Amino acid sequence: MSCSLTKFQVYLRRNREGEMDPKGDIWAAPYRWGCMVIAYKTNKFQKHKLAPVEDWADLWRPDLAGRISMVDSPREVIGAVLKYMGASYNTNDINMEVNGGRDAVKHNLALLAKQVRLFDSSNYLKAFGVGDVWVAVGWSSDIIPAAKRMSNVAVVVPKSGASLWADLWAIPAASRIQTNRIGGRIRGPSPLIHQWIEFCLQSARALPFKQEVIPGASPSHLQGHSANVPVELTKGGPRLNGNLVDGAPPPDILEKCEFLEPLSNSTLSDYHWLLTSIQEPGHGLIHKMYQNIISVAKFSGWFNSKLT
């Protein structure tokens, strides 16, 4: 398949076992993508003379204690700690690759847990919308539509980079199963499916993203392609405050962003240890994140929920 896939192919090429393989087949094609972002209420920040949010380090600021809501994904929460410490989301050996090792990560994770009022992927934006918190940390596909319905909200991608997600088109293998229920024919995908995918990947399809009709960014953005859209077509609608460009991080920040990769069993053990070590009696939020990681560990790999 042509166009726009180069930067994605390292994750999309898989072998028969579903593991990443540079020589494997392309199993899916992205039609939009986005990243983790931080939204904050500019009116509250101005009223209380607070510095704007720019990077992960701001989540540890004393003046924001109890004013933050965040998704309860263990990969995103611990990932934020790793980025704050100058490490990668995809750190394989925390003791060897992170300054201070597991104990330092544990310390910063415990501090973050005290800063965040609500870890809940379902309700973090509700708390933000009603004003219980002034900062919300979550996926751009959640936050951008919500922010556009509100006033006095800025949305930023952290300067040190964030995790990336992608929504994908895929052709299920089960679509070619033979069955007597439909006259014994082998039902396959539409012969037009490849044309449809090619159509979705055309650079001209970036217009809905440029108009902010669709939250996220076009795959062509990753390749530096830009559709020549008349300026008048992108005017008139409300624009988000922040550093997003056509629904994507600016180029200098995008270079620091990462797609989440499957974690090794030893790294999963580190995540278990981190979450259980800061768990306090009755601390349901940390317990919920721990249960999430336990359920994920039952599978052979841990993929970003946006990529599955």
Side-chain angles (χ1 to χ4, degrees), residues 4-13 28 30-33 165-168 218-220 222-223 259 307:
S4 308
L5 284 178
T6 304
K7 196 173 181 73
F8 284 93
Q9 282 182 353
V10 64
Y11 302 101
L12 300 178
R13 289 191 179 275
Y31 60 88
R32 71 165 179 161
W33 60 278
W165 55 264
D167 286 334
L168 311 170
S218 167
S220 62
L222 280 176
Q223 296 302 101
F259 283 102
L307 287 173

Side-chain angles (χ1 to χ4, degrees), residues 33-38 54-57 59-60 70 75-90 137-138 156-165 243-244 248-260:
W33 60 278
C35 60
M36 285 291 288
V37 294
I38 303 175
E54 296 183 338
D55 208 348
W56 293 113
L59 300 183
W60 279 260
M70 188 174 186
R75 193 71 194 270
E76 298 295 355
V77 174
I78 295 177
V81 176
L82 292 173
K83 294 297 286 185
Y84 166 59
M85 299 178 69
S88 166
Y89 279 95
N90 300 313
V137 186
V156 297
V157 185
K159 291 193 301 184
S160 57
S163 67
L164 300 177
W165 55 264
N243 63 359
L244 289 166
D252 59 324
I253 296 179
L254 180 58
E255 288 297 320
K256 304 171 187 175
C257 293
E258 307 170 73
F259 283 102
L260 301 186

Side-chain angles (χ1 to χ4, degrees), residues 99-176:
N99 188 24
R102 295 199 311 174
D103 288 335
V105 175
K106 170 190 170 183
H107 174 73
N108 286 319
L109 177 61
L111 291 178
L112 179 62
K114 293 178 180 179
Q115 288 283 108
V116 176
R117 181 170 180 175
L118 176 67
F119 287 105
D120 191 321
S121 296
S122 299
N123 297 303
Y124 76 105
L125 283 177
K126 293 179 182 178
F128 183 68
V130 299
D132 289 341
V133 298
W134 301 346
V135 178
V137 186
W139 296 288
S140 57
S141 53
D142 287 348
I143 287 182
I144 289 177
K148 291 182 68 175
R149 294 192 297 267
M150 304 177 192
S151 58
N152 301 308
V153 174
V155 179
V156 297
V157 185
K159 291 193 301 184
S160 57
S163 67
L164 300 177
W165 55 264
D167 286 334
L168 311 170
W169 291 118
I171 303 174
S175 64
R176 297 196 65 83

Side-chain angles (χ1 to χ4, degrees), residues 51-67:
V53 173
E54 296 183 338
D55 208 348
W56 293 113
D58 291 309
L59 300 183
W60 279 260
R61 282 166 33 185
D63 55 14
L64 294 181
R67 297 295 187 182

